[in-house]
Every structure is written in C-alpha cells, then in structure tokens.
C-alpha cells in the first residue's frame, strides 16, 4: 500500500486529488488546515482523522464574485458558505481489490457544494489510481442516468443548490440527479518532496450554485504538491484548462506528536543509592492495607533483591553514588516541610499532607504542573528515595483535585530504582505499580501543609467569530486577570476580570433570527457593550458524597451571559469505563456590561448525562438529556476519540423539541466539531491546561447549554487509568 504520509489534501480539504476525493485516509490523529484558491472560490478547511476509516472536515468557502448580502448589512463583504464533510472507508486495499470509500460533501444547510460519492483507489508501484461516481457538485457533468431511478422517479431530479434551510441536513438531495464519473492518478516521485497529480474533473461548471457558472476548456486538472517539510505542503495546479490554483496545507499528527523539549522544567532529581539496598517485597497485590502493615525492619536486616547493584557495579545514568545516599533518614527525622516544598517545585504536587502507614508513605496533594500523572509520581519517588531510609518501600500519591481525592497511585520503591538502572523493563515494572480507589485508612500524619489562601495571575486572551455577515473574522484581543481565594480546600471564591486591548467588533451589527428567548444570539451586545468585563465570579464547593460519588455546588456570575446557582453530582466507579451525572441550575441573564447587573430573563436548566468509554479505539460517548437555556427539552450526543497522549477529536449534535420548528431560527439543530490539545504538547514547559478549538456552523438559541467553569467529570479525570497506563514511560522522566 502507498505510504500513508504521502496522502495529500484536496482543494476542498480531506484526502484527495484536486477537486475530488480518493478512497485514501490520512493516519489516525492527522489534523490539517488547508487554504486553497481556485477562482472564484477560496476554501478555508479543517480536516481531522479520528479513526482509521473516518475522516471529517469543516470548511468556509469565500465566493469572491458574489456579495454576502445587502450592502447596508455586510458592506462589500463577499459571500461565505459553511460546510461539513464526512468520508467513510468501507474496506482497505488488498492484493486484488481496491480500497473503497463513500462520503458526502457539504452536508446540510444551503448545500451549495453538496455531493455524495463512492470512490475506489488502487496502487501500482509509485502510481495511485482512483475512480469514483458522484451525485451533485463533484459529478455535475451528469455522465449517466441515475441507477437509483429503478427504485423511484424521485432520484431522477436533484433539488437546486441553496434550497435548503441554513444549518439543516439536506437529505432531500442525497443521491439524486444524474451522477458523473471522476478520478485520476497520484504519482509519488523518487523525491520525497514532490507528488504529482492528474485528475478527471466530474464537474463541467455549467450548473454552478448561485448561477456562478465558469468556463472549462477541458476536464483535466493538473497539480504538483511540494512537501516543504513534515508539516507544510504547497500545491500548485492548473484547473479547467483556464485557472492557475494554489493551496497550502498545514498539518500535524496529534496522536504521534512529539512534545517539544521541556527546557523550562526543573530537572528531575538524580537518584542516589546505598551499599545495601532495601528489600523487594512480592509484586503488588492490590491490598494496600496489608502492605501498610508490612515489616518495617531496617535494610541491614533484610537480604538484597536479586540483581541488586552495589556501589562498585555498573549502574544506569539515573543513579549516582553521592552524599545524598548517606542523608537518608528515618521518616520521623525528615524535614517534611522542605520535602513538601520540593515536591511542589520539582514534581508539581501541591501537598496538603504527608502520612505513613507502616512501610508505606502517602503524599496527599494536587498535581498542578504535569499533564501526565506518571511523570509527577516518578519525580516524587525520586525525591522521597533521596531523603527516606529503607523503612519505606512503597510510595503512594493520593491525587486530589479541588479538594476531591480521586485515586491512589502506589510505586514499589526498589522496583523503581531497578527501572531507572535498566535492570527491569517497563512492562515488568508495571506489575509493581498500583492504582486503587481512595479508602479511609488510619495513618500517622507526618506533615500537614498550611492552606494557601490566595493565588492569581494574568494572561492574554483571544476570541473570534467567523463567517458572519458583518465581517468574515470578528476578533478581540484582551488581557485577563484571575484570582482564587481558598476558604477551605473544598470551598473557594474565584473570578476573572478582562480588559479589551484591540478588536473589530464595532462591525458586529447582525443579530441572528430567533423566535425563542434570546439566550445566545444576543452575543453581539455582550461583546460590544463594555471594554472592561467580569466574565466569571463565583463561589464553588466540592464534597465527596460517598464511595465513587462526588458533589459540586456553585453560585455567582457563572459565565459571561448568566449568573445564578446550581449543583452537580457524579457517580464514577473506580476501574470502570462509565459514569453517570446530573446538574441542576437556576440562572438569570446578566447585564450586557458583564458586571453585577442582571436582566429579566431567568430559567431552570440542567441535564442528566451518561458517559461511556466504548473500548473501541478509545471512543467516548456522552449522552445528555434535559432542559436547555431557552426552556427547550432535548438531547445532546457527543462522540470523541482520545489518543494515547491525551489529544482529543470529537463532534456533537443537539436536538430539542424546538428543532426544525419555525421559531428555532437558523438551522434545524445544533452541531459542531472540536479538537482539544494539551498545552503540554505545544509548550517548552509542562502544563495541565488544554486548548480547545470548536467549530459551530451557527450561533443558536435552541439547544444552548450553560458554560460552567467546573464540571465533575473533568475534575475526576485522574481516574482515567488508560491515560496513565499509556504514558507510564514518563515515570522515569
């Protein structure tokens, strides 16, 4: 099969030739942004490959020779069209059979560029041939009568483009009208940096949307892709026998992305060793109560483990024989205040307390720096090993998040040293690592940290609206100051103050149509009424209500548009791949200045949500049922794929009892696609924060949810044992 890294994007986004798709797929986790120009169309597309056989794209098309709308509203802005595409591979190429895929372009709405197709691809040496049949835009030449006419005469005629409701599914067009053939060949040259394309265009451009027909001298399109580097492709082409084209593709694989060196992180402590190492008890059994009461005899009274390294032996680069080995002390002689400070500075753990249960040391605290908990646990084990004598052979880190204890991660200290010294491999070491549910056990408190009352910081922020009639890009750059005051570890007050720096929202004059209460479509007023805003100011409390049962309560200015009070409960059993939660909120719309004022509208809103990690390619399904901000009742379905490094791709759709009605406004239901990337993958320092990019075709009032600052499902993400296991290699970093 043709090497996957050579599969390139089409003008419309998605793996393909120039104007048409192929049956090929990018690698899992591929994320691409394509900017292409083929007069009079400019495409801005984002494509994602969440599964080996599934490709999804979101696109804006700028039609440069058509106005957006009336001059009094959109001025000289040209027409913009929003599209969502999907392609599914039915089977892969074999020795004798080609790869086969089906797909649809511009699903829903006006469907100016809507098309459905089936396509095959087969490799022959450096050549990759494709042949397909398409209905709609891709096959507008209409080479043959519709084979589906034998089912019904309705398939013989395709409704005209632009006849659908904005944001609605245009299923009334699917597979209708005369289809046309398309295809071509992609040649992988002897040079990695060059790919050549030749394409039979299935469109004759005589039936263009908006009567925007274009001359075509011949139906053959030619192109060359220059691979500038592993993340940038430049395409130059000649299409319709008339038009020179160009495109740039910025792409990266989120699943295999290599994090940049963490130059701004402190180096992990080097591990010292003594001439007589501690004994290695049997492999982890999961019974921490038995482990906690194990024999605490001194190292001199126990035999060394098999394969122990003495000071004169050859050791790995992670071990040193220096004075720190002689500074190890019994737990009651250790300066635990200094240890807690080091754990915070080097391992990212904000310690709340440190305790002892026999031969087990327990660190209670919140990981504030490292996205992968294994890295913080490994650093903590190094720190403890350099300070505590052989009476401690197990280290447990009890993960906390906003006062909620979620999971105990325990490391066998001698096995950890063997791992660092390359005497055992990671798979063997994994059998000496436990993750257990948090249970109440007696322990000797060695240190209790004082509560840090206040924390805060400043940052720059950016927000934008795309594709509206006022301007294609409406943007704002702002400065934000945030602060948190902790009353207890489970109760705190925090808020955000934002100051406008630069924006062009003075052009924002359009209010989307809606006959529902304007719960979201009055966004213009919230963005333009004041240069100083308070997007959030609330008091929040957490409480563990029982085994695997968590609670959250909050009140205040909960988001930029709503204030009020509410609560949430979540049942998330340890070791299971499912959870169930519910929230209930009374909220009132805030004043447009985003200060402490309110408007008249208020509503009770909330949803019950079930979460399921399907076990299929790490796909998670979340289904919510309840009442939305406009008082409508309905369901939201969210499907996402999380990769081993924590990056996530997903899509959602919301249908309510107002969807498709005359009062719903633009679109028949709410939908969008998103990608969530840990900052840890992008920055030269470790971070637990995420960047989430969301593409929503339209802003609607129906199906609108409260944008809560905290949710219990994200607070308890340390319970994700799969993410821990897949990044266990970071425990030695």
């Amino acid at each position: 099969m043709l090497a996957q890294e050579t599969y390139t994007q089409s003008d419309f986004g998605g793996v393909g030739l120039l104007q048409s798709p192929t049956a090929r797929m990018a690698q899992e986790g591929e994320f691409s942004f394509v900017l292409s120009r083929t007069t009079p169309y400019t495409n801005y597309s984002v494509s994602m490959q969440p599964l080996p056989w599934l490709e999804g794209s979101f696109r804006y098309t700028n039609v440069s020779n058509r106005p957006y709308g009336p001059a009094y509203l959109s001025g000289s802005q040209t027409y913009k069209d929003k599209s969502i595409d999907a392609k599914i591979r039915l089977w892969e190429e074999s020795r004798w059979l080609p790869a086969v895929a089906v797909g649809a372009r511009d699903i829903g709405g006006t469907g100016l560029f809507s098309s459905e197709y089936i396509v095959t691809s087969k490799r022959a040496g450096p050549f990759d041939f494709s042949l397909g049949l398409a209905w709609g835009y891709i096959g507008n030449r209409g080479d043959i009568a519709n084979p589906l006419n034998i089912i019904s005469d309705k398939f013989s005629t395709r409704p005209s483009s632009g006849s659908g409701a904005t944001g609605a599914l245009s299923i009334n067009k699917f597979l209708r009208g005369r289809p046309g053939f398309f295809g071509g060949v992609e040649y992988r040259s002897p040079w990695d940096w060059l790919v050549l394309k030749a394409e039979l265009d299935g469109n004759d451009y005589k039936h263009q949307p908006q009567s925007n027909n274009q001359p075509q001298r011949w139906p053959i399109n030619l192109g060359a892709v220059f691979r500038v580097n592993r993340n940038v492709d430049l395409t130059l082409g000649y299409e319709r026998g008339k038009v020179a084209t160009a495109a740039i593709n910025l792409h990266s694989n989120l699943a295999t992305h290599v994090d940049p060196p963490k130059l701004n992180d402190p180096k992990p402590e080097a591990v010292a060793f003594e001439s007589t190492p501690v004994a290695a008890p049997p492999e982890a059994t999961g019974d921490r109560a038995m482990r906690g009461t194990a024999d605490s005899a001194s190292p001199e009274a126990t035999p060394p483990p098999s394969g122990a390294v003495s000071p004169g032996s050859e050791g790995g680069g992670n071990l040193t024989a220096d004075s720190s080995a002689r500074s190890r002390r019994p737990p009651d002689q250790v300066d635990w205040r200094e240890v807690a400070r080091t754990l915070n500075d080097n391992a990212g753990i904000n310690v709340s307390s440190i305790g002892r249960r026999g031969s087990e040391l327990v660190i209670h605290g919140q990981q504030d720096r490292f996205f992968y908990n294994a890295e913080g646990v490994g650093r903590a084990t190094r720190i403890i090993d350099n300070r505590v004598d052989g009476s401690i052979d197990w280290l447990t880190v009890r993960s906390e998040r906003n006062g909620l204890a979620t999971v105990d991660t325990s490391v066998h200290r001698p096995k950890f040293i063997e791992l660092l010294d390359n005497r055992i491999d990671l798979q063997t070491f994994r059998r000496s690592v436990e993750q257990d549910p948090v249970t109440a056990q007696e322990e000797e408190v060695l240190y209790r940290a004082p509560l840090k009352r206040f924390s805060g910081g400043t940052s720059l922020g950016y927000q934008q609206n795309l594709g509206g009639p006022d301007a294609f890009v409406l943007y704002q750059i702002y400065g934000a100051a945030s602060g948190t005051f902790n009353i207890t570890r489970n109760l705190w007050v925090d808020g955000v103050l934002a100051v406008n720096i630069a924006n062009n929202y003075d052009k924002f004059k359009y209010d989307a149509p809606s006959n529902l209460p304007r719960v979201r479509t009055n966004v213009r007023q919230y963005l333009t009424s004041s240069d100083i805003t308070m997007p959030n100011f609330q008091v929040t409390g957490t409480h563990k209500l029982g085994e695997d049962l968590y609670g959250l309560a909050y009140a205040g200015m909960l988001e930029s548009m709503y204030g009020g009070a509410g609560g949430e409960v979540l049942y998330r059993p340890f070791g299971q791949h499912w959870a169930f939660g519910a929230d209930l909120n009374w909220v009132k719309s805030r004043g447009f200045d985003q200060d402490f004022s309110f408007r008249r509208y208020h509503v009770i809103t909330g949803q019950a949500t079930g979460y399921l990690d399907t076990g299929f390619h790490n796909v998670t399904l979340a289904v919510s049922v309840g009442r939305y901000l406009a008082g409508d009742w309905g369901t939201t379905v969210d499907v996402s794929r999380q990769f081993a490094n924590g990056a996530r791709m997903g899509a959602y759709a919301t249908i309510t009892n107002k969807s498709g009605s005359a009062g719903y406004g633009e679109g028949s239901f709410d939908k969008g696609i998103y990608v969530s990337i840990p900052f840890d993958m992008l920055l030269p320092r470790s971070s637990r924060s995420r960047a989430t990019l969301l593409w929503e075709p339209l802003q609607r009032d129906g199906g609108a949810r409260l944008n809560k600052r905290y949710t219990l499902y994200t607070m308890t993400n340390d319970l994700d044992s799969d993410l821990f296991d897949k990044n266990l290699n970071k425990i030695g970093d």
Side-chain angles (χ1 to χ4, degrees), residues 411-484:
V411 175
H412 182 224
R413 180 180 170 189
K415 290 291 185 183
F416 181 74
I417 300 302
E418 291 182 36
L419 175 72
L420 294 185
D421 198 28
N422 299 314
R423 284 179 276 156
I424 60 174
D425 58 21
L426 190 66
Q427 184 176 0
T428 302
F429 172 72
R430 179 64 183 93
R431 295 196 292 269
S432 66
V433 178
E434 294 182 13
Q435 284 201 300
D436 299 297
V438 172
T439 57
Q441 295 188 51
E442 290 187 5
E443 65 181 55
E444 175 191 358
V445 177
L446 302 174
Y447 173 75
R448 194 176 301 280
L451 178 64
K452 184 179 180 180
R453 293 291 183 182
F454 180 79
S455 61
T458 59
S459 62
L460 285 175
Y462 175 81
Q463 63 179 338
Q464 66 181 21
N465 278 31
L466 291 177
D470 306 288
F472 179 55
V473 180
L474 293 169
Y475 70 90
Q476 180 190 37
I477 301 172
Y478 61 91
S482 61
T484 300

Side-chain angles (χ1 to χ4, degrees), residues 266-288:
K267 293 183 178 180
E269 286 194 359
V271 174
F273 57 91
E274 299 179 272
S275 59
T276 310
V278 297
E283 289 181 352
T285 64
D287 190 342
R288 292 189 297 109

Side-chain angles (χ1 to χ4, degrees), residues 343 346-349 363 367 369-383 395 397 724 730-731 733:
L343 286 168
N346 192 273
I349 300 175
I363 298 171
Q367 177 56 252
R369 173 178 294 169
F370 296 105
F371 182 81
Y372 307 106
N373 279 342
E375 186 170 357
V377 170
R379 285 173 174 252
T381 306
R382 291 169 179 261
I383 292 167
L395 172 68
V397 176
F724 179 86
K730 295 185 178 293
I731 203 166
D733 291 351

